[in-house]
Amino acid sequence: MNQEASLQLEIADLSMSFGGIQAIRGVSFGVKKGEIYSIIGPNGAGKTTIFNCISGIYRAKTGSIRFESRELIGLKPDRIAQLGISRAFQNIALFKGMTVLDNLMSARVHLMKYGLIGAAVYLGRCLREEVQNRDEVEDVIEFLDLQPVRKSPVGSLSYGLQKRVELARALAMKPKLMLVDEPVSGMNLEEREDMARYIIDINEERDITVILIEHDMGLVMDLSDRVTVLNFGTKIAEGVPGEVSRNPGVVQAYLGEAG
Amino acid sequence: MANFKVSYQEDTALFQNLWVKSWLAIFVAAMIALPFLMSRYQLSILNEMGIAVIGALGLNLLTGYTGQISLGHGAFVAIGAYTTGLLTGALGLPFVIALPLSGLMAALLGMIVGIPSLRLKGLYLALGTLAFGFIVEYVLFHWDLTKGDMGMAVPKIGAGGFVIETERQYFFLIMSFAVLATLVAKNLARTKIGRCFVAIRDRDIAAEAMGISLAKYKIMAFAVSAFYAGIAGCLMAHYQKWIVPGNFDISLSIAYIAMIVLGGMGTILGSILGAILITGIPHGIVFLTDAFRETYPSLSGLIVDIKLGIFGIIIVLTLLFEPQGLFGIYRRIKVYWKTWPFKY
C-alpha cells in the first residue's frame, strides 16, 4: 500500500493497436516520484507509442494510465500537459518560425491567465504576467546554457542545440513529470555528456520525475534508477540497470538467439 | 547606436529606441500633413489602402500566423459592410455602435466557420471557407433585406451633429482605425496569443503537448481575423456609400490573399506593405496608361485586360524571386545597413 501511494505515474495493462498491428500489449509499470525511469527496447518495440498514449496523442484501447491517481486516458493532450506532464520529442518538433525565447514562452501558455482583450492592449495583467514568465523562462535558459542563442530562430541552430531547446521547452512548462524521447540520438560524445548532465540536473535540482527513452545503453545504465525493457510491444524485464542488463531475455532481444 | 536594456518590459517594447521613435514621429507628422497636400483622388487611394490594411492584418493573423488558409475573407468583409448598412440604414443606429457590432457579427460567423478547421487542414479548409464565401454571396443576392443586385445605400457617418463627408475627414477616420488595428495586431503577436497561433501553424501536435488548446486558439484566430474583416467592411461600406454583393465576391478574398503573400506571411509589416501594393497597382497602371495614351491611343481600350495581366505578372514574379514577400526585401535591406560598410 505504501508503495502504491508513492507511484506518480501508474500504467496498467495498456494495449494499443494500429489496424492489425498490436503496437503494445498489456504493458504495466509504475514510476515513483523523483525517479529517472528508462524505457528501452529494439526499434518498433512500442516505446514512443507508450509516450504518445501518456501524452494523449493516441487513445489506448484498453488499460489505464493514472497520473497522481487521475486517469489520463480520454483526456485531451493539452489537458494532460496542463496537469504537469511535458514532453521532449524524438524528432525535433520545435516551432520553427519562432526564436528560442518564444519557443520556451509558448510552453507557458497555461501559466498565463490574461485574455484576448488584455493581450490587445498589452497592459496591466498581461504585461505583468509576460514579464514574470519571461523571468522564469530566463532561468530555464540559464539552466541549459542557451543564453547566446536566446533570440535566434530555432531553424538556424545546430542539431545538437535544437535537441537542447527541445528539452528546455519541456522544462519551461514547469512540469512534474517529463517524457524525454531519445535525447542524445545522433549526437557526438561531448553533446551526449552535456545532455546527460542536464537530465540529471533537471531531475535533482528541479525535482522533476523523468521518463527516458534511449538507445544509448551507457547513458541509460548510468542515469536510470529503474529500467523497463520492451520487445514487440510486451514488457520482458524491469528492474535496476544492473539486473536488467544481465537478464537473459533482454540479452536475447538485443543480440538474438545464441547459436 | 547604444542599445542596452535593463528590464524585460523594455526588451519587448514595440518602439525600442530613439531611431524607431523618430521614424514614428515623422510618420505621424506625415499622416497629419498629407491630407492638406494631396488631391482628392490621391487621398481616395490612401483611404482605400487604409481599409485594405485592416482587412489584410486580419487575414494575416489567421493565414500567416495561425496557418489556416481562408478563401472566405471577402465574405467576412461583406458581413461587416451589410451589418453596418442594416444597422445604420434600417435601424438608424449611430456609427459608433454599428462599428463594433459589425466586427462582432463577423467574428461570430468567423467562429462558426472556424469549427470545421478543427478537423480540416490545408486545401480542405480552403474549400470549406470558399464555400462559405459563396453562401454569403448567395444570401446577399437573394435576401429581401439586402436588396440583392440593386444594392443598398449606406448612410454617412455622423456623431452628434458632426457628419463625416469629405475625403480628408475620411482619411483621418480610416487612418486612425488602421493605426489602431496595427497596434492591436502587434500586441497580439507579441503575447501568448500570437505565440499560440504560430505554435499551431508550425507544429500542432507539439503545441497541444505544450498545453495549448488547439480548439480554443484556432477558433480565436478565426474570430479575430473575421473581426478585423468586419471592421474593414464597415468602414468600406460607409466610405463607398453604396454596397452591392458583387463588391465582395471571390476576387476580394483573392486580393487579400495576394496582399499577405506579396507582403509577407506571418508579419505585421508585410500585411501593411502588401495592402498598399495590391491597392496601389491598379492605380499605378491607370496612371501609366494615361501617360502613354497620346502615343498609343489603342491602349486605353485594353486597360482592363492589361490591368489584370500586369497584376498577375507582378504576383508571379514576386513569388519567384522573393518568396518571403516585401517583408523579405525589407529584412535584407535592414541587415545590409546594420553591418554596413562591412560585408557581414
Side-chain angles (χ1 to χ4, degrees), chain B residues 141-199:
Chain B
F141 260 118
H142 295 275
W143 197 15
D144 297 340
L145 216 52
T146 53
K147 300 200 190 75
D149 228 358
M150 294 197 358
M152 213 166 77
V154 183
K156 286 177 186 145
I157 299 172
F162 180 76
V163 181
I164 291 185
E165 262 171 317
T166 65
E167 205 68 52
R168 194 181 290 162
Q169 288 163 336
Y170 268 112
F171 178 85
F172 286 121
L173 180 86
I174 290 171
M175 285 310 153
S176 352
F177 278 112
V179 168
L180 191 68
T182 309
L183 286 177
V184 168
K186 263 279 181 202
N187 280 342
L188 291 182
R190 65 182 167 145
T191 54
K192 72 166 183 186
I193 313 275
R195 288 191 290 266
C196 287
F197 287 177
V198 176

Side-chain angles (χ1 to χ4, degrees), chain A residues 11-247:
Chain A
I11 293 179
D13 199 25
L14 191 73
S15 292
M16 177 85 208
S17 61
F18 304 99
I21 298 157
Q22 187 90 25
I24 35 178
R25 53 189 115 195
V27 172
S28 309
F29 61 89
V31 181
K32 290 182 213 145
K33 193 166 171 28
E35 232 180 356
I36 297 184
Y37 191 97
S38 291
I39 303 174
I40 62 170
N43 285 325
K47 306 178 297 284
T48 302
T49 307
I50 290 184
F51 270 17
N52 281 338
C53 288
I54 298 174
S55 52
I57 294 167
Y58 297 157
R59 181 184 282 219
K61 246 188 356 196
T62 57
S64 83
I65 303 171
R66 298 175 80 80
F67 176 65
E68 296 181 337
S69 58
R70 206 189 149 140
E71 181 60 54
L72 296 186
I73 291 178
L75 291 184
K76 290 211 157 201
D78 52 292
R79 278 296 302 144
I80 293 173
Q82 287 166 19
L83 290 175
I85 300 181
S86 76
R87 168 131 186 221
F89 287 86
Q90 170 185 9
N91 42 1
I92 298 164
L94 294 168
F95 308 127
K96 289 222 158 45
M98 287 194 256
T99 61
V100 171
L101 182 64
D102 279 334
N103 262 279
L104 304 195
M105 287 291 278
S106 61
R108 297 183 70 86
V109 169
H110 62 292
L111 301 168
M112 301 187 213
K113 302 290 176 221
Y114 64 84
L116 185 61
I117 307 291
V121 295
Y122 205 76
L123 288 171
R125 189 175 186 180
C126 167
L127 181 59
R128 215 165 45 238
E129 288 188 346
E130 283 287 330
V131 169
Q132 208 228 314
N133 278 284
R134 169 75 189 272
D135 199 25
E136 286 176 43
V137 161
E138 286 292 337
D139 288 344
V140 174
I141 288 176
E142 207 172 311
F143 198 74
L144 294 182
D145 302 311
L146 289 167
Q147 297 96 325
V149 294
R150 192 190 273 129
K151 294 264 174 95
S152 316
V154 286
S156 68
L157 302 181
S158 70
Y159 177 80
L161 261 178
Q162 289 195 23
K163 282 289 228 189
R164 206 194 295 170
V165 176
E166 181 78 48
L167 191 73
R169 187 179 61 176
L171 183 61
M173 254 192 68
K174 223 176 174 181
K176 296 174 196 154
L177 170 71
M178 227 162 113
L179 309 175
V180 184
D181 199 345
E182 297 199 17
V184 302
S185 64
M187 284 184 165
N188 64 33
L189 184 65
E190 197 186 334
E191 289 171 324
R192 262 193 297 221
E193 283 173 350
D194 281 346
M195 190 57 92
R197 191 73 247 160
Y198 291 133
I199 292 172
I200 294 172
D201 283 348
I202 287 171
N203 178 246
E204 287 179 355
E205 287 181 34
R206 302 237 158 178
D207 203 21
I208 294 169
T209 315
V210 176
I211 305 184
L212 189 68
I213 291 178
E214 187 46 66
H215 280 296
D216 183 325
M217 280 311 132
L219 186 92
V220 169
M221 296 304 161
D222 284 349
L223 258 58
S224 332
D225 295 309
R226 285 188 305 145
V227 181
T228 271
V229 190
L230 294 182
N231 196 18
F232 294 114
T234 43
K235 185 166 101 173
I236 57 173
E238 182 180 15
V240 296
E243 260 171 45
V244 165
S245 58
R246 282 192 301 273
N247 184 308

